[in-house]
Every structure is written in structure tokens, then in C-alpha cells.
Amino acid sequence: MRRPWIGLVLAAALLVLLDAGLPHVLNPYYLTILTRIGVAVLAAVSLQLINGFTGQFSIGHAGFMAVGAYVSAALSVYLGAGWLVALGAVLPVPLARALYFPVPLVAGGLAAALAGLGVGIPALRLRGDYLAIATLGFGEIIRIAILNVDAVGGARGFSLTSAAQPAADLRYDGLGAIYAVVALSVLVIARLVYSTGGLAFRAVREDETAAESVGVATTRVKVEAFVVSSFFAGVAGALFAHSEGYVHTNSFAFLRSFEIVVFVVLGGLGSISGAILAATVLTAAPEVLRGLGEWRMILYSLLLIVTMILRPQGLMGQRELGPLRWLATRPRQRHAAA
Amino acid sequence: MPLLEIRGLTVRFGGLTAVAGLDFSVEPGALVALIGPNGAGKTTAFNVITGIYAPSSGSVRFDRKEIGGVSPHRICAHGIARTFQNIRLFRSLTALENVRAAVAAAQRSGLRDVVRGPGWSQREQALEERALELLTRLGLERVADTKADALPYGEQRRLEIARALATQPRLLLLDEPAAGMNPSEKEALRGLVARLREEFGVSIVLIDHDVAFVMNLCDRISVLDHGEKIAEGPPEVVRRDPQVIEAYLGNNGESA
């Protein structure tokens, strides 16, 4: 890549084309499913950092998505709507929107990261089952706490419409932009994990005592994984909130956390490609199987059971595909393989 | 001035005293053996030196600094590295990754690895080359890309040593490196241990059951029994010590 800007321009063009063009090609039903796949992929890949690469078992990921979703939604409704209208007055509307929407995503991510830090420091003293139970508990606490905050709608759910600025459109469901955010996040996680420094995550997964003995500050590494993972879960939650235009705590119940764990385990603990694959297939499956009526949940469950019997290490094991495989391979090995 | 100086070290687990008032020191550049029957407290002593256990009482000084009760990764940063009695490799990582993880343990991953600005790949390359060089010096370059748990036993032991050396220690603790090896492998290991001291300039403490193994290798032998040091000195002297013969070598000690 001699001239990275060419790539950037091309990517931006593709993004705009997707954002503007897709709604003409696909009906809203497919668009919604594709958006949900993007959110699921991001949630799964971020959890992979904790469960797959650092070897800790967290099952409260939806809680961090909820923090991201609600914080970003509240930001948009109470402050962002005004900013968006003000920006729209001086700039072309699409540009104003493109400038504004990263703000709630980052805010949601940061809020979730902060929550991750608060939960991670005490919880990561626990191991195995105990850690799992603690994260599950925290996930539920977060959800129930939000359920009792009236400013974000409580049990009624929270609609992304501003009473003060009814004209502001706070929904953002451009698929190009959503997938760009997902791709960027996946790239960040992959680069973090597949660097020499990132070997610390996997060292902790493989053997904590040995990792400590070679100088890895294991507690710190675990907390880092938790915080980074929570950040991206928060971004996923913010994407979800802004693409749907409405959030409810029911979307972040234990079942959601569990679903993300399934993506990660089924895809293969320690494979980003696997998490992407499983999140995509399993988010699409209930829709694809919709024609089967009430049989679809049975088929979905059978699909899980059969996969785990045939491939207990997950679809991908610890391997990667395509560009991720390239990232995971050392320059020396690339050289040897050539 | 000794590199490592242990004074009056006692470790208790509930009612059990695993190490009782141990005095033990290692001079710079020394190759010392810690021997004794099962349950004598040898590994416990290692675990205290490397921070896995905190001493119940007594002091552990490394390079004049007190390290008793300090966390293991900090002790590693001070310059003490170890291997484990029951090999503890990063099993699903390749041999090279095992060593790379140790080479880079001090430098954590972060924004630098995400942005990958100028100089990043040279730095990665340099870390990798250091890891590869270590593998080569331990005769493991051929298996650099093999997963650790797929390596034969002897190579796993060597890989663990390579990984320990990757942290650039001044003191290397080898916990029963010869366990489970046949005589010819043991002979090769003796050569390796002697070479490590020469080439890497590390002081070495090694634990073993096998008196013959350490006899012609080490400068000094300390014998533990029931958590207490019962003898210490050059191999020739220790071998003839009646207490050692009785407690450790058995009654026909000479032939052991």
C-alpha cells in the first residue's frame, strides 16, 4: 500500500454508494436483518477478545451493549438533536449527519468501557464458573438499573425522538456506514490481538501461571481485554439503538448475552473469522427458517447441537480466513508460504 | 555479594511447614543444585523465589532488593526466570509464539499495535528475530511454527528454557529439567545447562532428584529434607555427608 489515500477514497465512495443505493435495491426487511447481522458481528468479535483470546468466560455482554445503547440514545435525544439541527443549518444535511453520528457511537463505547472497568476490576479476580456467574449478574444489574431510569423511558422503552427538536431525525440506518464501523472495529481488535504485544492475551488464556512467570501482568491484561471488549460492545449497542430508532431493555436480557456466547463458542474460541461467521449465520438463520413456522426454533437448536457434536472446537477452531488470516500470519511465515 | 540471598525462609501451609528456616544463596555466575527427596520443599522454595507464594517469614533478596511477596511478573522483570516441573507451555501457540510472548511480555499491546505507524513493523521484526535467535540457540528453529503441544517431550523442555531465557534473566531456575528423560537425553541436557551458563551468562539453580545428574555439573549442591537444609557444599563433600546418605541416598549411598 504505497498510497493509502487511494484505498480510503475508494472505501468512502463504496460506503456512500451502499448507504444511498441499497435502500433502492433491497426492501426494509432485508436491510433490518443486514443491520442486525452487523451489530451481532461486532458484539461477537468484541466478546471473542475476552472469551476466545484471553480465556476468561464472560456471559454478561448484553449488559455492556445496553450501556452503549442507552447512553448514546440519551445523548442523541437530549443533546444531539439540537447539535444535529444546528449543524444541518450550516452544512448540507448528509454531511451534518455523517459528522454527528460517530459522536454517540464513541460516547456509547466509552460509557460501556467505563462500566467494563468497574465490573472487570473486581470480577476478574474470579476464575472460570465464578467469573461467568459474576458477569451474568452484572449484566442483569445493568439492565434492571436502566429499566428503572425514567429519563430513558423505563419499562416503556426509549424512542429516539426529541421533544425539543421534533424535526431532528436521530435514526441512522445507512448500511455502508454501519458496516464501515463494524469493519473498523474488527480491524482494531484483530490488530490488537495479532501483534507481539497482543500475545499476552493468548498467553493468559493458555496458562496464567506461566504467563506471570515470563513477565505478563495477567490481571492488567485481563482488565484491558475486558475494557476494550466492553467498548466495542458499547459501540454495537449504540449502532443498534440508532439503527432501530428505539431501544428497550428486553433487547439486552440474558438471552441476548447467551446468544453472543453461542456465536463465539460455535465460531471457535480464538477465531475472529469464526465469530463473524457464526454471528452472521445464526442471526440470519431464524429469518431464513421463518417459512418453517414453529419448527424453526427446533431446527435452530438442532443446528447448534449438531455443529457442536461434529466440531467441538467450533466452526473455525483457532484459525482465521481471508484478510484476517493474513493479519494473523507472521511476515516470516508469509515468506515461507510464498 | 550474592545475587540471590535467602535467609531464614519459612513457608507454612496451614499446619504443614513446607520450608523451615532455609538459608540459601547464589553467587553471580554460579550453577547450583537443590536436591532432596519428594516433598522436601524444593519446588516450594522456587515458588517463593518467583513470587507464586509469599514467605511466611524470612527474607528473599535478589540483587540486594527484597522480593519476598512481590508478584511474579514483577519478579520476572527484576531478572528471575523459571521453568516448571510439569511443563507449562502456552500449548496451543507455536514454539515461536511461546518465545515471542516472553520477549514482549514487558511491552504491552496497545494503541501502537492498532495504529501501526512508521517503525512498527521493524520493531515487530526485531522482536521476532530475537525470538527466532533463541529458538536457534536451543536447536528448535526447525519447529518454530509447530504448536507447543505437538512437540516431543524433550523439545517441550527446551522450549520452556528458551521462553524463560527470552525474558533476559540474570537468574534461571530450572525445576526438574531432567524429569522423564532417558540417559542419553539427560546427557544432552547436562551439556545444554553448562552451555547456558557460558553463553547467556546466567546464574542457574536447578532442582533434581537424580544425584548423579547434578554431581559433575554443579559447583555446589544444597540438600533439603523435610523443608530443612541438611547439607551444603561442593558435590564431592555432599556426596559423602552421612546425613545426606541416610536421608536421601539411602544406606548404600555410594552407588546411587
Side-chain angles (χ1 to χ4, degrees):
Chain A
M1 284 279 239
R2 288 271 145 237
R3 284 176 221 154
W5 58 269
I6 292 186
L8 281 177
V9 169
L10 279 176
L14 187 72
L15 202 152
V16 171
L17 210 69
L18 276 175
D19 258 16
L22 268 181
H24 299 293
V25 186
L26 292 173
N27 72 37
Y29 170 67
Y30 289 111
L31 290 176
T32 304
I33 294 170
L34 284 173
T35 306
R36 288 187 180 176
I37 288 177
V39 171
V41 163
L42 184 49
V45 171
S46 63
L47 187 66
Q48 188 70 281
L49 179 61
I50 301 178
N51 289 26
F53 287 99
T54 316
Q56 308 303 304
F57 213 77
S58 168
I59 53 174
H61 218 48
F64 300 107
M65 286 180 75
V67 171
Y70 273 89
V71 167
S72 67
L75 177 76
S76 283
V77 168
Y78 290 113
L79 295 171
W83 300 345
L84 197 57
V85 169
L87 268 176
V90 287
L91 293 170
V93 170
L95 186 61
R97 289 170 66 77
L99 282 177
Y100 171 68
F101 279 105
V103 176
L105 295 190
V106 172
L110 288 177
L114 205 66
L117 185 69
V119 172
I121 289 176
L124 288 168
R125 292 167 165 273
L126 305 170
R127 290 186 188 200
D129 310 350
Y130 301 102
L131 174 66
I133 292 165
T135 53
L136 165 68
F138 278 118
E140 285 297 284
I141 288 168
I142 290 171
R143 186 178 68 85
I144 289 163
I146 294 172
L147 194 60
N148 286 290
V149 177
D150 207 48
V152 291
R156 296 186 308 277
F158 190 36
S159 179
L160 274 81
T161 45
S162 163
Q165 302 283 355
D169 177 12
L170 294 171
R171 272 191 74 193
Y172 195 100
D173 53 5
L175 259 188
I178 289 170
Y179 273 83
V181 170
V182 172
L184 187 69
S185 308
V186 170
L187 181 72
V188 167
I189 293 171
R191 282 188 157 190
L192 200 60
V193 167
Y194 292 122
S195 61
T196 297
L199 272 168
F201 295 118
R202 279 177 284 165
V204 169
R205 172 189 73 198
E206 295 294 315
D207 191 322
E208 263 184 60
T209 306
E212 273 279 334
S213 86
V214 296
V216 176
T218 52
T219 307
R220 194 168 178 155
V221 166
K222 286 191 275 183
V223 171
E224 271 176 18
F226 216 78
V227 169
V228 173
S229 174
S230 304
F231 175 86
F232 287 109
V235 173
L239 274 182
F240 180 72
H242 286 80
S243 59
E244 303 273 320
Y246 171 81
V247 275
H248 194 282
T249 48
N250 282 353
S251 310
F252 307 105
F254 170 63
L255 214 60
R256 181 69 178 146
S257 287
F258 186 70
E259 195 183 22
I260 305 168
V261 172
V262 169
F263 296 156
V264 165
V265 174
L266 196 86
L269 284 166
S271 166
I272 294 176
S273 321
I276 296 174
L277 193 68
T280 307
V281 170
L282 292 182
T283 307
E287 304 300 333
V288 174
L289 300 176
R290 203 168 275 282
L292 299 170
E294 58 262 40
W295 288 95
R296 75 188 170 119
M297 285 326 281
I298 295 173
L299 213 71
Y300 181 93
S301 316
L302 275 178
L303 188 71
L304 292 185
I305 295 169
V306 170
T307 317
M308 287 328 281
I309 290 172
L310 296 180
R311 284 195 68 82
Q313 73 275 43
L315 293 172
M316 296 295 301
Q318 292 185 3
R319 284 170 304 123
E320 299 288 2
L321 285 175
L324 285 165
R325 180 176 191 154
W326 189 82
L327 255 175
T329 321
R330 308 300 306 157
R332 203 178 57 83
Q333 290 173 317
R334 277 178 223 151
H335 184 73
Chain B
M1 188 70 202
L3 183 63
L4 176 76
E5 189 169 29
I6 295 175
R7 295 226 166 183
L9 175 68
T10 299
V11 184
R12 284 188 208 95
F13 300 110
L16 176 84
T17 304
V19 176
L22 176 69
D23 292 325
F24 180 74
S25 65
V26 180
E27 299 295 326
L31 206 173
V32 183
L34 203 55
I35 65 172
N38 275 329
K42 309 178 295 284
T43 297
T44 304
F46 267 27
N47 284 343
V48 171
I49 299 170
T50 53
I52 294 174
Y53 301 147
S56 305
S57 65
S59 85
V60 182
R61 284 170 172 275
F62 180 71
D63 201 16
R64 282 176 244 182
K65 285 183 287 283
E66 177 64 39
I67 56 165
V70 172
S71 65
H73 69 270
R74 293 221 172 81
I75 288 179
C76 173
H78 280 301
I80 301 180
R82 71 172 294 177
T83 64
F84 295 88
Q85 188 173 353
N86 318 303
I87 306 180
R88 281 176 171 269
L89 288 168
F90 306 135
R91 298 173 61 86
S92 77
L93 304 187
T94 66
L96 183 59
E97 284 171 331
N98 267 272
V99 179
R100 268 174 63 215
V103 164
Q107 25 198 319
R108 294 173 310 108
S109 103
L111 212 55
R112 207 176 35 196
D113 291 314
V114 172
V115 178
R116 306 202 166 173
W120 182 86
S121 54
Q122 282 93 321
R123 205 178 57 91
E124 283 281 291
Q125 193 89 40
L127 292 175
E128 178 163 324
E129 265 157 31
R130 248 185 65 205
L132 256 181
E133 192 211 317
L134 271 167
L135 284 182
T136 309
R137 286 169 80 169
L138 284 152
L140 294 166
E141 72 278 14
R142 269 184 321 100
V143 293
D145 296 325
T146 308
K147 283 200 174 175
D149 64 355
L151 293 175
Y153 186 78
E155 290 185 347
Q156 291 196 8
R157 285 262 175 222
R158 288 217 300 282
L159 178 57
E160 218 190 6
I161 295 175
R163 186 182 67 183
L165 288 169
T167 65
Q168 298 185 300
R170 281 179 291 164
L171 177 65
L172 179 63
L173 308 178
L174 304 174
D175 196 347
E176 293 203 29
M181 287 189 171
N182 64 37
S184 73
E185 285 172 330
K186 279 189 185 180
E187 199 46 49
L189 180 69
R190 279 154 62 100
L192 176 69
V193 172
R195 221 186 74 211
L196 290 181
R197 166 157 77 157
E198 298 292 315
E199 287 187 15
F200 292 87
V202 288
S203 313
I204 298 173
V205 181
L206 72 86
I207 289 181
D208 211 288
H209 290 298
D210 185 351
V211 188
F213 177 75
V214 298
M215 204 49 84
N216 300 320
L217 179 65
C218 298
D219 316 329
R220 205 161 49 84
I221 296 177
S222 297
V223 188
L224 290 190
D225 191 24
H226 299 297
E228 287 176 49
K229 188 165 72 179
I230 57 168
E232 184 171 52
E236 296 316 309
V237 178
V238 168
R239 198 205 324 234
R240 289 184 172 76
D241 190 297
Q243 245 189 311
V244 176
I245 293 168
E246 186 183 327
Y248 184 73
L249 299 179
N251 288 329
N252 2 315
E254 281 295 318
S255 63

